[in-house]
Structure formats: structure tokens, C-alpha cells
Tab-separated table of all heavy atoms in Angstrom:
chain	number	residue	atom	x	y	z
A	5	MET	N	-65.110	32.506	42.516
A	5	MET	CA	-64.030	31.600	42.140
A	5	MET	C	-62.705	32.275	42.458
A	5	MET	O	-62.522	33.464	42.212
A	5	MET	CB	-64.163	31.278	40.652
A	5	MET	CG	-63.059	30.477	40.004
A	5	MET	SD	-62.622	28.799	40.478
A	5	MET	CE	-64.093	27.881	40.525
A	6	LYS	N	-61.805	31.482	42.977
A	6	LYS	CA	-60.474	31.989	43.286
A	6	LYS	C	-59.717	32.325	42.004
A	6	LYS	O	-60.027	31.797	40.941
A	6	LYS	CB	-59.667	30.936	44.041
A	6	LYS	CG	-60.165	30.645	45.419
A	6	LYS	CD	-59.262	29.608	46.050
A	6	LYS	CE	-59.694	29.253	47.432
A	6	LYS	NZ	-58.827	28.241	48.026
A	7	GLU	N	-58.743	33.185	42.136
A	7	GLU	CA	-57.862	33.519	41.015
A	7	GLU	C	-56.897	32.357	40.765
A	7	GLU	O	-56.641	31.552	41.662
A	7	GLU	CB	-57.051	34.769	41.346
A	7	GLU	CG	-57.882	36.020	41.471
A	7	GLU	CD	-58.452	36.463	40.151
A	7	GLU	OE1	-57.726	36.407	39.139
A	7	GLU	OE2	-59.611	36.864	40.125
A	8	ARG	N	-56.346	32.289	39.563
A	8	ARG	CA	-55.415	31.214	39.243
A	8	ARG	C	-54.173	31.268	40.119
A	8	ARG	O	-53.629	30.238	40.504
A	8	ARG	CB	-55.010	31.242	37.771
A	8	ARG	CG	-54.191	30.013	37.434
A	8	ARG	CD	-53.877	29.774	35.979
A	8	ARG	NE	-54.352	30.737	35.062
A	8	ARG	CZ	-53.605	31.246	34.099
A	8	ARG	NH1	-52.354	30.888	33.971
A	8	ARG	NH2	-54.098	32.117	33.261
A	9	LYS	N	-53.725	32.463	40.480
A	9	LYS	CA	-52.542	32.573	41.331
A	9	LYS	C	-52.740	31.869	42.664
A	9	LYS	O	-51.782	31.410	43.268
A	9	LYS	CB	-52.148	34.024	41.549
A	9	LYS	CG	-53.136	34.813	42.371
A	9	LYS	CD	-52.680	36.226	42.561
A	9	LYS	CE	-53.702	37.003	43.365
A	9	LYS	NZ	-53.316	38.370	43.558
A	10	ASP	N	-53.997	31.752	43.123
A	10	ASP	CA	-54.280	31.056	44.376
A	10	ASP	C	-54.043	29.552	44.255
A	10	ASP	O	-53.866	28.875	45.265
A	10	ASP	CB	-55.715	31.314	44.827
A	10	ASP	CG	-55.976	32.790	45.098
A	10	ASP	OD1	-55.047	33.462	45.585
A	10	ASP	OD2	-57.088	33.259	44.807
A	11	PHE	N	-54.058	29.022	43.042
A	11	PHE	CA	-53.853	27.597	42.808
A	11	PHE	C	-52.397	27.261	42.477
A	11	PHE	O	-52.036	26.097	42.396
A	11	PHE	CB	-54.763	27.100	41.678
A	11	PHE	CG	-56.222	27.132	42.040
A	11	PHE	CD1	-57.006	28.213	41.703
A	11	PHE	CD2	-56.791	26.087	42.742
A	11	PHE	CE1	-58.344	28.252	42.042
A	11	PHE	CE2	-58.127	26.114	43.089
A	11	PHE	CZ	-58.911	27.201	42.736
A	12	MET	N	-51.568	28.280	42.272
A	12	MET	CA	-50.149	28.045	41.995
A	12	MET	C	-49.449	27.649	43.284
A	12	MET	O	-49.814	28.118	44.361
A	12	MET	CB	-49.495	29.328	41.452
A	12	MET	CG	-49.976	29.721	40.086
A	12	MET	SD	-49.453	31.376	39.585
A	12	MET	CE	-47.704	31.250	39.586
A	13	ASN	N	-48.438	26.771	43.183
A	13	ASN	CA	-47.710	26.432	44.401
A	13	ASN	C	-46.868	27.634	44.837
A	13	ASN	O	-46.637	28.569	44.071
A	13	ASN	CB	-46.886	25.154	44.249
A	13	ASN	CG	-45.833	25.247	43.185
A	13	ASN	OD1	-45.173	26.273	43.053
A	13	ASN	ND2	-45.652	24.185	42.429
A	14	LYS	N	-46.443	27.603	46.071
A	14	LYS	CA	-45.754	28.770	46.657
A	14	LYS	C	-44.455	29.104	45.929
A	14	LYS	O	-44.126	30.272	45.760
A	14	LYS	CB	-45.463	28.530	48.144
A	14	LYS	CG	-46.705	28.451	48.990
A	14	LYS	CD	-47.441	29.765	48.994
A	14	LYS	CE	-48.697	29.663	49.825
A	14	LYS	NZ	-49.557	30.816	49.707
A	15	SER	N	-43.721	28.091	45.472
A	15	SER	CA	-42.460	28.391	44.782
A	15	SER	C	-42.720	29.099	43.455
A	15	SER	O	-41.996	30.030	43.098
A	15	SER	CB	-41.634	27.120	44.571
A	15	SER	OG	-42.276	26.236	43.681
A	16	ASP	N	-43.778	28.688	42.730
A	16	ASP	CA	-44.119	29.368	41.483
A	16	ASP	C	-44.556	30.806	41.756
A	16	ASP	O	-44.207	31.721	41.017
A	16	ASP	CB	-45.217	28.625	40.728
A	16	ASP	CG	-44.728	27.339	40.088
A	16	ASP	OD1	-43.499	27.138	40.014
A	16	ASP	OD2	-45.574	26.531	39.657
A	17	GLN	N	-45.321	31.003	42.820
A	17	GLN	CA	-45.773	32.355	43.155
A	17	GLN	C	-44.595	33.272	43.456
A	17	GLN	O	-44.562	34.413	42.993
A	17	GLN	CB	-46.702	32.317	44.369
A	17	GLN	CG	-48.069	31.764	44.061
A	17	GLN	CD	-48.964	31.731	45.280
A	17	GLN	OE1	-48.661	32.339	46.303
A	17	GLN	NE2	-50.069	31.014	45.176
A	18	THR	N	-43.618	32.775	44.207
A	18	THR	CA	-42.468	33.619	44.537
A	18	THR	C	-41.597	33.863	43.313
A	18	THR	O	-41.039	34.952	43.159
A	18	THR	CB	-41.625	33.021	45.675
A	18	THR	OG1	-41.221	31.706	45.321
A	18	THR	CG2	-42.396	32.986	46.972
A	19	GLN	N	-41.494	32.871	42.425
A	19	GLN	CA	-40.691	33.059	41.214
A	19	GLN	C	-41.319	34.082	40.279
A	19	GLN	O	-40.612	34.812	39.591
A	19	GLN	CB	-40.518	31.730	40.474
A	19	GLN	CG	-39.570	30.781	41.161
A	19	GLN	CD	-39.506	29.430	40.473
A	19	GLN	OE1	-40.397	29.060	39.720
A	19	GLN	NE2	-38.449	28.688	40.735
A	20	MET	N	-42.633	34.164	40.250
A	20	MET	CA	-43.311	35.117	39.374
A	20	MET	C	-43.141	36.555	39.863
A	20	MET	O	-43.190	37.491	39.070
A	20	MET	CB	-44.804	34.784	39.264
A	20	MET	CG	-45.096	33.548	38.437
A	20	MET	SD	-44.547	33.671	36.731
A	20	MET	CE	-45.636	34.926	36.111
A	21	LYS	N	-42.944	36.770	41.130
A	21	LYS	CA	-42.657	38.099	41.692
A	21	LYS	C	-43.680	39.151	41.262
A	21	LYS	O	-43.324	40.284	40.982
A	21	LYS	CB	-41.253	38.547	41.300
A	21	LYS	CG	-40.177	37.614	41.773
A	21	LYS	CD	-38.833	38.021	41.253
A	21	LYS	CE	-37.815	36.976	41.663
A	21	LYS	NZ	-36.668	36.928	40.806
A	22	GLY	N	-44.933	38.767	41.160
A	22	GLY	CA	-45.975	39.731	40.832
A	22	GLY	C	-46.078	40.099	39.357
A	22	GLY	O	-46.837	40.993	39.010
A	23	LEU	N	-45.315	39.432	38.489
A	23	LEU	CA	-45.402	39.710	37.053
A	23	LEU	C	-46.748	39.238	36.512
A	23	LEU	O	-47.366	38.342	37.072
A	23	LEU	CB	-44.286	38.970	36.305
A	23	LEU	CG	-42.864	39.437	36.551
A	23	LEU	CD1	-41.881	38.471	35.896
A	23	LEU	CD2	-42.664	40.829	35.999
A	24	PRO	N	-47.218	39.806	35.406
A	24	PRO	CA	-48.439	39.302	34.774
A	24	PRO	C	-48.239	37.848	34.350
A	24	PRO	O	-47.146	37.455	33.948
A	24	PRO	CB	-48.611	40.198	33.541
A	24	PRO	CG	-47.754	41.381	33.782
A	24	PRO	CD	-46.662	40.956	34.702
A	25	ARG	N	-49.303	37.048	34.450
A	25	ARG	CA	-49.191	35.627	34.120
A	25	ARG	C	-49.398	35.393	32.622
A	25	ARG	O	-50.387	34.800	32.199
A	25	ARG	CB	-50.192	34.828	34.951
A	25	ARG	CG	-49.768	34.722	36.402
A	25	ARG	CD	-50.704	33.879	37.229
A	25	ARG	NE	-52.103	34.228	37.082
A	25	ARG	CZ	-52.704	35.228	37.714
A	25	ARG	NH1	-52.039	35.977	38.541
A	25	ARG	NH2	-53.971	35.456	37.519
A	26	THR	N	-48.447	35.852	31.821
A	26	THR	CA	-48.462	35.564	30.393
A	26	THR	C	-47.675	34.278	30.163
A	26	THR	O	-46.895	33.858	31.024
A	26	THR	CB	-47.808	36.702	29.590
A	26	THR	OG1	-46.435	36.794	29.983
A	26	THR	CG2	-48.496	38.034	29.836
A	27	HIS	N	-47.878	33.641	29.003
A	27	HIS	CA	-47.122	32.423	28.705
A	27	HIS	C	-45.623	32.695	28.769
A	27	HIS	O	-44.865	31.917	29.329
A	27	HIS	CB	-47.465	31.872	27.316
A	27	HIS	CG	-48.823	31.254	27.235
A	27	HIS	ND1	-49.221	30.216	28.028
A	27	HIS	CD2	-49.879	31.533	26.439
A	27	HIS	CE1	-50.453	29.877	27.728
A	27	HIS	NE2	-50.883	30.671	26.771
A	28	TYR	N	-45.200	33.811	28.219
A	28	TYR	CA	-43.772	34.138	28.182
A	28	TYR	C	-43.207	34.280	29.593
A	28	TYR	O	-42.179	33.700	29.917
A	28	TYR	CB	-43.555	35.425	27.381
A	28	TYR	CG	-42.104	35.841	27.350
A	28	TYR	CD1	-41.212	35.220	26.482
A	28	TYR	CD2	-41.633	36.825	28.204
A	28	TYR	CE1	-39.874	35.577	26.459
A	28	TYR	CE2	-40.294	37.196	28.189
A	28	TYR	CZ	-39.426	36.565	27.318
A	28	TYR	OH	-38.099	36.913	27.313
A	29	ASN	N	-43.879	35.059	30.431
A	29	ASN	CA	-43.398	35.262	31.798
A	29	ASN	C	-43.397	33.968	32.593
A	29	ASN	O	-42.464	33.679	33.342
A	29	ASN	CB	-44.253	36.295	32.536
A	29	ASN	CG	-43.994	37.707	32.070
A	29	ASN	OD1	-42.987	37.989	31.434
A	29	ASN	ND2	-44.912	38.594	32.373
A	30	CYS	N	-44.454	33.177	32.451
A	30	CYS	CA	-44.549	31.928	33.211
A	30	CYS	C	-43.445	30.957	32.814
A	30	CYS	O	-42.801	30.350	33.675
A	30	CYS	CB	-45.913	31.285	33.027
A	30	CYS	SG	-47.244	32.169	33.868
A	31	VAL	N	-43.212	30.798	31.524
A	31	VAL	CA	-42.161	29.877	31.074
A	31	VAL	C	-40.792	30.390	31.501
A	31	VAL	O	-39.954	29.624	31.980
A	31	VAL	CB	-42.214	29.677	29.541
A	31	VAL	CG1	-40.992	28.936	29.043
A	31	VAL	CG2	-43.461	28.914	29.157
A	32	ALA	N	-40.565	31.669	31.370
A	32	ALA	CA	-39.264	32.237	31.727
A	32	ALA	C	-38.980	32.109	33.223
A	32	ALA	O	-37.852	31.825	33.623
A	32	ALA	CB	-39.197	33.699	31.305
A	33	MET	N	-39.989	32.308	34.049
A	33	MET	CA	-39.771	32.323	35.495
A	33	MET	C	-39.940	30.956	36.158
A	33	MET	O	-39.231	30.636	37.102
A	33	MET	CB	-40.732	33.323	36.161
A	33	MET	CG	-40.578	34.747	35.643
A	33	MET	SD	-38.902	35.380	35.720
A	33	MET	CE	-38.809	35.836	37.423
A	34	THR	N	-40.911	30.136	35.687
A	34	THR	CA	-41.206	28.872	36.379
A	34	THR	C	-40.910	27.633	35.545
A	34	THR	O	-40.857	26.545	36.090
A	34	THR	CB	-42.694	28.812	36.798
A	34	THR	OG1	-43.506	28.746	35.626
A	34	THR	CG2	-43.087	30.009	37.637
A	35	GLY	N	-40.802	27.791	34.215
A	35	GLY	CA	-40.610	26.628	33.351
A	35	GLY	C	-41.915	25.941	32.982
A	35	GLY	O	-41.922	24.935	32.296
A	36	VAL	N	-43.045	26.490	33.437
A	36	VAL	CA	-44.366	25.930	33.156
A	36	VAL	C	-45.180	27.004	32.455
A	36	VAL	O	-45.191	28.154	32.894
A	36	VAL	CB	-45.077	25.510	34.467
A	36	VAL	CG1	-46.454	24.962	34.181
A	36	VAL	CG2	-44.240	24.512	35.230
A	37	GLN	N	-45.879	26.629	31.358
A	37	GLN	CA	-46.618	27.649	30.612
A	37	GLN	C	-47.785	28.233	31.387
A	37	GLN	O	-48.022	29.432	31.346
A	37	GLN	CB	-47.153	27.073	29.304
A	37	GLN	CG	-46.204	27.257	28.162
A	37	GLN	CD	-46.878	27.027	26.830
A	37	GLN	OE1	-48.008	26.555	26.744
A	37	GLN	NE2	-46.179	27.336	25.774
A	38	ARG	N	-48.550	27.403	32.073
A	38	ARG	CA	-49.756	27.903	32.731
A	38	ARG	C	-49.852	27.358	34.150
A	38	ARG	O	-50.723	26.542	34.453
A	38	ARG	CB	-50.979	27.495	31.924
A	38	ARG	CG	-50.912	28.032	30.497
A	38	ARG	CD	-52.048	27.541	29.676
A	38	ARG	NE	-53.192	28.432	29.867
A	38	ARG	CZ	-54.340	28.263	29.257
A	38	ARG	NH1	-54.525	27.261	28.449
A	38	ARG	NH2	-55.320	29.104	29.469
A	39	PRO	N	-48.972	27.782	35.053
A	39	PRO	CA	-49.003	27.240	36.408
A	39	PRO	C	-50.324	27.529	37.107
A	39	PRO	O	-50.835	28.634	37.031
A	39	PRO	CB	-47.841	27.948	37.106
A	39	PRO	CG	-47.585	29.174	36.313
A	39	PRO	CD	-47.978	28.844	34.911
A	40	GLY	N	-50.885	26.504	37.753
A	40	GLY	CA	-52.141	26.646	38.469
A	40	GLY	C	-53.372	26.416	37.627
A	40	GLY	O	-54.466	26.260	38.152
A	41	LYS	N	-53.230	26.360	36.305
A	41	LYS	CA	-54.389	26.230	35.417
A	41	LYS	C	-55.111	24.905	35.627
A	41	LYS	O	-56.333	24.868	35.751
A	41	LYS	CB	-53.938	26.359	33.964
A	41	LYS	CG	-55.041	26.142	32.940
A	41	LYS	CD	-55.759	27.417	32.628
A	41	LYS	CE	-56.665	27.337	31.449
A	41	LYS	NZ	-57.873	26.580	31.646
A	42	THR	N	-54.391	23.800	35.678
A	42	THR	CA	-55.017	22.487	35.827
A	42	THR	C	-55.722	22.384	37.174
A	42	THR	O	-56.844	21.882	37.261
A	42	THR	CB	-53.972	21.371	35.689
A	42	THR	OG1	-53.329	21.514	34.426
A	42	THR	CG2	-54.611	19.997	35.769
A	43	ALA	N	-55.091	22.861	38.234
A	43	ALA	CA	-55.712	22.815	39.563
A	43	ALA	C	-56.982	23.649	39.599
A	43	ALA	O	-57.984	23.254	40.197
A	43	ALA	CB	-54.720	23.294	40.610
A	44	LYS	N	-56.982	24.806	38.941
A	44	LYS	CA	-58.171	25.649	38.911
A	44	LYS	C	-59.280	24.963	38.124
A	44	LYS	O	-60.442	24.990	38.539
A	44	LYS	CB	-57.865	27.009	38.297
A	44	LYS	CG	-59.054	27.943	38.339
A	44	LYS	CD	-58.731	29.324	37.849
A	44	LYS	CE	-59.954	30.215	37.953
A	44	LYS	NZ	-59.683	31.569	37.490
A	45	ASP	N	-58.934	24.330	37.007
A	45	ASP	CA	-59.936	23.605	36.220
A	45	ASP	C	-60.561	22.465	37.024
A	45	ASP	O	-61.775	22.253	36.965
A	45	ASP	CB	-59.328	23.058	34.937
A	45	ASP	CG	-59.035	24.141	33.911
A	45	ASP	OD1	-59.579	25.256	34.046
A	45	ASP	OD2	-58.250	23.873	32.990
A	46	ARG	N	-59.741	21.729	37.775
A	46	ARG	CA	-60.263	20.644	38.617
A	46	ARG	C	-61.229	21.183	39.667
A	46	ARG	O	-62.293	20.620	39.900
A	46	ARG	CB	-59.133	19.899	39.307
A	46	ARG	CG	-58.513	18.818	38.455
A	46	ARG	CD	-57.659	17.898	39.287
A	46	ARG	NE	-56.593	18.631	39.984
A	46	ARG	CZ	-55.321	18.677	39.610
A	46	ARG	NH1	-54.932	18.016	38.544
A	46	ARG	NH2	-54.441	19.357	40.299
A	47	ALA	N	-60.884	22.299	40.304
A	47	ALA	CA	-61.737	22.894	41.327
A	47	ALA	C	-63.052	23.404	40.720
A	47	ALA	O	-64.107	23.309	41.339
A	47	ALA	CB	-60.998	24.036	42.021
A	48	ARG	N	-62.962	23.921	39.520
A	48	ARG	CA	-64.141	24.460	38.849
A	48	ARG	C	-65.149	23.345	38.530
A	48	ARG	O	-66.359	23.539	38.613
A	48	ARG	CB	-63.709	25.159	37.554
A	48	ARG	CG	-64.777	25.988	36.915
A	48	ARG	CD	-64.272	26.638	35.669
A	48	ARG	NE	-63.651	27.920	36.004
A	48	ARG	CZ	-62.901	28.620	35.183
A	48	ARG	NH1	-62.619	28.157	33.982
A	48	ARG	NH2	-62.405	29.772	35.547
A	49	ARG	N	-64.633	22.158	38.169
A	49	ARG	CA	-65.516	21.024	37.851
A	49	ARG	C	-66.160	20.439	39.101
A	49	ARG	O	-67.160	19.757	38.993
A	49	ARG	CB	-64.730	19.922	37.152
A	49	ARG	CG	-64.530	20.205	35.688
A	49	ARG	CD	-63.834	19.081	35.007
A	49	ARG	NE	-62.530	19.619	34.611
A	49	ARG	CZ	-61.428	18.946	34.511
A	49	ARG	NH1	-61.408	17.667	34.730
A	49	ARG	NH2	-60.308	19.526	34.161
A	50	GLY	N	-65.567	20.677	40.255
A	50	GLY	CA	-66.161	20.194	41.494
A	50	GLY	C	-65.541	18.926	41.901
A	50	GLY	O	-65.719	18.177	42.687
């Protein structure tokens, strides 16, 4: 299974700048608590 960062859009990935994907960091950098989480869940279900 791919990592969640692989499901994040490119702008979110660049905004995160390699920081750990904690709720605090994600909200501070992207404005979204769990970027890529929904896309990863959809892929996991098939």
C-alpha cells in the first residue's frame, strides 16, 4: 500500500516541506487536518 503522502496533492506536499504529518503540522501548513487520508481510504476499499 502506498503511503498517505502519495495521495496528497502536490501543493499540500510542497507546503508540508517534509514535516511529520501530525494534525498540528497539517492544519498549520495546509489548512486540512488529514490531507490524503480520504483518497487513501478510497484506494484501500478498492
